[in-house]
């Protein structure tokens, strides 16, 4: 099944780029129908336009409530025929208004091995804590902050000569490999969800 995907970004959009590249390379059976950002200047919007994908900014500042903002996002995504939503550095917490519109079909990438270090600047939280193993997680989005069922994780060792920025970049490189891979599992319909646990059905 081809994933009719909407991608939500707030920043530079390197994860979005990895999705667009995987689609172009034939490694991900998806069609990115719309890229949405809450920040008009997000680099991700430029990346979308460069790839010929519709890109739209909807500033959360225009709305009085989170629900009203989320309803506007849902409307735009529906207008573009989006069925699955990938958060790629989207820095707003989604409300049930949004999640109910795409039940079980919203995923996120987080730059830490959840449930450690949820929230913002997770790589820096991990660095400051002094962990020996950092990493990234792709998970279903639920109503909590970075609490949904885990789809995939990659560990990244912290090296003795690391600094926070080098660690962030090595985690980011793994994000770029992990996110398209997990999305492809979803496109193949291979993800089996059992409560909090997910597993991957065999290919074919
Ligand atoms: C990525 O590291 C992503 O995991 C993180 O923001 C960065 C976005 O980079 N997301 C979060 O922290 C979500 N809580 P990008 O715009 O270059 O993809």
């Amino acid at each position: 099944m081809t994933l009719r995907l909407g991608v939500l970004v707030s920043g530079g959009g390197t994860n979005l780029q990895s999705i667009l590249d995987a689609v172009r390379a034939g490694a991900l059976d998806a069609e990115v129908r719309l890229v949405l950002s809450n920040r008009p200047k997000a680099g991700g919007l430029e990346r979308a336009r460069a790839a010929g994908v519709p890109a739209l900014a909807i500033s959360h500042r225009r709305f009085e409530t989170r629900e009203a903002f989320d309803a506007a996002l849902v409307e735009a995504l529906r207008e573009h025929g989006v069925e699955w939503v990938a958060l790629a550095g989207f820095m707003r917490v989604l409300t049930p208004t949004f999640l109910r519109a795409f039940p079980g079909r919203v995923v996120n990438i987080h730059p830490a091995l959840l449930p450690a270090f949820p929230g913002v600047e997770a790589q820096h939280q991990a660095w400051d804590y002094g962990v020996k193993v950092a990493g990234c997680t792709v998970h279903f989005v639920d109503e909590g902050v970075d609490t949904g069922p885990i789809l995939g994780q990659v560990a990244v060792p912290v090296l003795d000569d690391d600094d926070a920025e080098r660690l962030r970049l090595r985690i980011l490189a793994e994000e770029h490999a992990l996110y398209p891979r997990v999305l492809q599992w979803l496109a193949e319909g291979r993800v089996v969800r059992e409560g909090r646990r997910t597993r991957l059905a065999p290919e074919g």
Side-chain angles (χ1 to χ4, degrees):
M1 139 185 95
T2 301
L3 288 187
R4 297 200 174 100
L5 201 59
V7 183
L8 272 53
V9 301
S10 295
T14 65
N15 276 289
L16 164 68
Q17 191 67 57
S18 75
I19 292 169
L20 294 169
D21 291 348
V23 171
R24 189 173 323 154
L28 170 56
D29 183 10
E31 197 185 325
V32 181
R33 291 289 186 104
L34 179 65
V35 172
L36 266 182
S37 179
N38 60 312
R39 297 211 180 108
K41 290 186 178 155
L45 293 172
E46 279 312 308
R47 291 178 187 274
R49 290 184 189 117
V53 169
L56 201 62
I58 301 180
S59 173
H60 55 279
R61 295 172 202 277
R62 280 176 34 208
F63 300 89
E64 285 193 3
T65 63
R66 284 179 182 274
E67 285 74 17
F69 171 60
D70 281 6
L73 296 181
V74 168
E75 193 183 335
L77 291 164
R78 285 207 168 127
E79 272 172 12
H80 287 79
V82 167
E83 291 173 355
W84 284 79
V85 177
L87 310 184
F90 186 66
M91 295 306 188
R92 308 287 304 173
V93 175
L94 295 170
T95 65
T97 299
F98 188 98
L99 297 175
R100 271 198 299 265
F102 301 97
R105 284 182 275 124
V106 184
V107 295
N108 180 44
I109 186 146
H110 183 75
L113 291 175
L114 291 170
F117 311 119
V120 295
E121 302 208 347
Q123 312 94 321
H124 277 81
Q125 292 184 52
W127 171 258
D128 289 346
Y129 196 91
V131 298
K132 299 294 185 194
V133 181
C136 53
T137 303
V138 175
H139 62 94
F140 284 116
V141 176
D142 66 8
E143 290 171 22
V145 175
D146 302 323
T147 52
I150 290 171
L151 285 151
Q153 292 187 302
V154 174
V156 175
V158 180
L159 308 177
D160 283 344
D161 62 351
D162 258 342
D163 59 29
E165 180 60 10
R166 273 204 293 271
L167 179 61
R168 185 186 74 81
L169 291 174
R170 287 212 318 289
I171 295 170
L172 190 61
E174 294 300 339
E175 293 180 45
H176 296 161
L178 178 65
Y179 212 178
R181 193 185 321 142
V182 171
L183 290 169
Q184 178 59 17
W185 295 340
L186 293 167
E188 291 169 354
R190 290 173 60 201
V191 173
V192 182
R193 193 169 160 171
E194 290 156 351
R196 277 211 58 86
R197 203 168 299 280
T198 69
R199 65 183 167 81
L200 195 59
E203 261 177 286

